[in-house]
Amino acid sequence: MQIEILIRSFLDGAYDERLLDIYADEAKISYQRERYINAIKKFEQCYKPGDVELFSAPGRSEIGGNHTDHQNGEVLAASVNLDTIGIVKKTDDNVIRLVSDNYDEIIIRLDDVSVNEKEKETTKALIKGVVSGFLERKYAVGGFQAYITSDVLIGAGLSSSAAFETLIGTVVSGLYNHAEIPAVTIAQTGRYAENVYFGKPSGLMDQMACAIGGMVYIDFENEEKPQVEKIDADFEKAGLTLCIVDTKGSHAGLTHEYAQIPVEMKQIAAHFGKNVLREVEEKDFYAALPVLCKESGDRAVLRAIHFFAEDERVVKEVNALRAGDWNRFLKLVKESGDSSYKYLQNVYVSHDTVSEPVAIALAVSEWALADKGVCRVHGGGFAGTIQAFVKEAAVLDYKNAMEAVFGADSCHVLKIRRYGGIRVIG
């Protein structure tokens, strides 16, 4: 669609219904309308006018299954109404040209998308990885120009990188594959890009939640063909609000801490001749506990204890939601957080006694909420964010209490979005 027509249509409110459908919050319509108009104008500044399409991919919130995905475990996750959007124009020059917010233009020639060690931990690596993953799976790829902007908080446990990977995958699917690449395939390709090209070890949960959308229960026992079930749970009807608190803690220097979790869990699995803990019988694990403590150390054993309990807890959470048993669900969320704190040990770094923002956030949350909600560490841990489910009447007080400690706009009141990666207009 022509840029001038798009802008006029947004200004006239022609897409307000579409925006409400995607972002699930009437109070955010004006913000989203202005955001899309600004992004379209930015595209026009970067590239020649022409027919463009609009794409979106959401951030995600992990609800259950903290560090279970990389052990082929089970997770409960949901897409949220923060997202990465792209204004995109298809080209026939076999080149991807992309500007992301205020960063320099990235140019990728599609005749060379090989791994480059010098590009590790860059946006360019993620794009090349997604393209390479599609080529390996025999999907069509091609050139495009794009301006991309995101309000998914970077480093805040909402998977900004997975949202970006999902957006690129959705664009390639929409432009060159009739929008027919399955969401699971887009997710698997995003994870491939992050693991192989970007150089970050991760499971598949982030990409799956971003690509599929809504609240999803995912069983990764067969990682090539994960079992996915959408869960119909209305938090608003239950009088609960999802809050994510950004503690502003830096993730710098924490890659090793994250990487050690799957490494230590797999050490335990290797004792039994298995690749991941999902393949180990829990009773066999407990029977071998004395030997495992000597072989792998106590922390690895405690992290395995977390896995077995957390994997089972995900199923209990799903059953509670199916039954509409919200008290049971909240109890399980709190148990998940307690297990991450005590056994998984990803709330703070053991050698740093000065900076423990996630631990502080959990302590303040428990004080502020009392019986009005529950909280837990969110995502990878160590820094970043916590998650809270707060009773509706207590949301403002909770937000004020957290922002008194962590600053203005550190507490984000979110809604679950029903869509994963999608073409918004085009």
Side-chain angles (χ1 to χ4, degrees):
M1 186 177 292
Q2 286 288 326
I3 282 176
E4 296 80 6
I5 298 172
L6 266 177
I7 292 176
R8 193 181 317 122
S9 297
F10 271 108
L11 287 171
D12 292 343
Y15 297 123
D16 284 3
E17 190 173 333
R18 176 63 166 158
L19 295 176
L20 180 59
D21 184 38
I22 294 171
Y23 296 100
D25 190 346
E26 197 162 356
K28 298 289 187 182
I29 298 302
S30 176
Y31 160 75
Q32 293 295 349
R33 192 191 303 134
E34 184 177 344
R35 179 175 175 237
Y36 273 92
I37 290 171
N38 288 339
I40 294 166
K41 289 178 177 178
K42 286 278 192 180
F43 176 91
E44 194 172 25
Q45 291 171 11
C46 297
Y47 302 106
K48 291 181 180 179
D51 286 339
V52 296
E53 300 182 41
L54 279 54
F55 293 85
S56 161
R60 71 96 184 100
S61 180
E62 166 207 287
I63 294 168
N66 195 210
H67 280 282
T68 55
D69 57 336
H70 49 67
Q71 299 302 301
N72 291 24
E74 297 163 89
V75 302
L76 179 63
S79 56
V80 297
N81 59 343
L82 298 176
D83 68 339
T84 301
I85 63 172
I87 316 302
V88 182
K89 182 170 74 175
K90 186 176 181 179
T91 63
D92 58 5
D93 57 1
N94 218 36
V95 176
I96 293 174
R97 298 176 182 272
L98 182 149
V99 175
S100 181
D101 285 315
N102 296 318
Y103 293 96
D104 293 338
E105 183 184 49
I106 295 169
I107 299 175
I108 297 172
R109 304 185 190 285
L110 299 182
D111 55 0
D112 180 15
V113 290
S114 57
V115 177
N116 185 334
E117 290 297 319
K118 293 180 180 179
E119 294 171 352
K120 288 286 177 76
E121 299 189 19
T122 67
T123 301
K124 187 173 186 178
L126 290 178
I127 301 168
K128 288 175 66 175
V130 170
V131 170
S132 174
F134 282 147
L135 287 171
E136 286 186 12
R137 294 170 183 265
K138 309 303 181 186
Y139 286 106
V141 301
F144 60 85
Q145 297 170 342
Y147 175 78
I148 290 177
T149 185
S150 179
D151 61 8
V152 182
L153 308 169
I154 296 174
L158 293 168
S159 297
S160 55
S161 60
F164 181 84
E165 295 150 15
T166 299
L167 181 72
I168 298 301
T170 304
V171 167
V172 174
S173 177
L175 295 183
Y176 290 101
N177 296 275
H178 310 289
E180 292 176 352
I181 300 179
V184 171
T185 302
I186 290 174
Q188 290 169 330
T189 306
R191 189 227 186 158
Y192 167 78
E194 193 155 313
N195 290 177
V196 177
Y197 278 69
F198 191 83
K200 178 183 175 183
S202 68
L204 187 54
M205 177 186 67
D206 295 352
Q207 291 82 3
M208 287 285 282
C210 294
I212 295 169
M215 184 180 291
V216 287
Y217 161 57
I218 311 168
D219 186 342
F220 290 112
E221 185 171 20
N222 180 349
E223 201 170 41
E224 285 304 306
K225 296 182 179 179
Q227 298 300 306
V228 181
E229 178 187 349
K230 290 233 180 185
I231 303 299
D232 184 16
D234 194 328
F235 286 93
E236 288 189 54
K237 280 188 179 178
L240 293 172
T241 298
L242 170 63
C243 295
I244 299 293
V245 179
D246 185 0
T247 70
K248 313 293 176 66
S250 173
H251 288 264
L254 292 177
T255 299
H256 176 73
E257 298 292 340
Y258 297 123
Q260 281 301 107
I261 295 176
V263 166
E264 291 179 10
M265 288 184 176
K266 288 179 179 181
Q267 283 176 353
I268 300 294
H271 172 87
F272 300 94
K274 306 296 184 182
N275 293 317
V276 290
L277 285 176
R278 179 65 181 271
E279 299 170 351
V280 177
E281 291 288 337
E282 186 177 10
K283 60 180 177 58
D284 294 339
F285 163 74
Y286 275 101
L289 218 56
V291 175
L292 292 170
C293 288
K294 290 180 181 177
E295 279 185 357
S296 300
D298 292 349
R299 188 176 70 174
V301 169
L302 288 167
R303 284 174 164 172
I305 288 172
H306 164 81
F307 170 81
F308 288 115
E310 183 78 347
D311 204 44
E312 184 179 336
R313 190 158 31 241
V314 169
V315 177
K316 293 177 181 177
E317 287 178 338
V318 170
N319 289 336
L321 290 173
R322 286 174 180 150
D325 189 343
W326 293 97
N327 289 332
R328 174 69 172 153
F329 170 74
L330 292 176
K331 181 175 182 291
L332 290 164
V333 170
K334 186 179 187 311
E335 286 179 7
S336 173
D338 290 345
S339 179
S340 292
Y341 209 142
K342 292 191 296 184
Y343 306 131
L344 185 61
Q345 298 183 32
N346 69 330
V347 167
Y348 55 84
V349 179
S350 59
H351 58 77
D352 185 354
T353 59
V354 175
S355 179
E356 298 181 6
V358 174
I360 294 293
L362 293 170
V364 175
S365 288
E366 292 185 351
W367 168 77
L369 289 171
D371 62 350
K372 299 179 182 67
V374 297
C375 61
R376 66 192 283 273
V377 65
H378 184 246
F382 300 113
T385 58
I386 68 163
Q387 175 191 78
F389 288 98
V390 184
K391 292 182 179 179
E392 190 174 342
V395 171
L396 183 57
D397 287 344
Y398 178 70
K399 181 177 174 65
N400 289 338
M402 300 312 292
E403 293 188 350
V405 178
F406 297 104
D409 299 322
S410 58
C411 181
H412 300 271
V413 179
L414 303 179
K415 292 183 182 292
I416 292 174
R417 144 176 167 158
R418 58 191 293 201
Y419 299 108
I422 55 167
R423 178 193 272 120
V424 177
I425 298 167

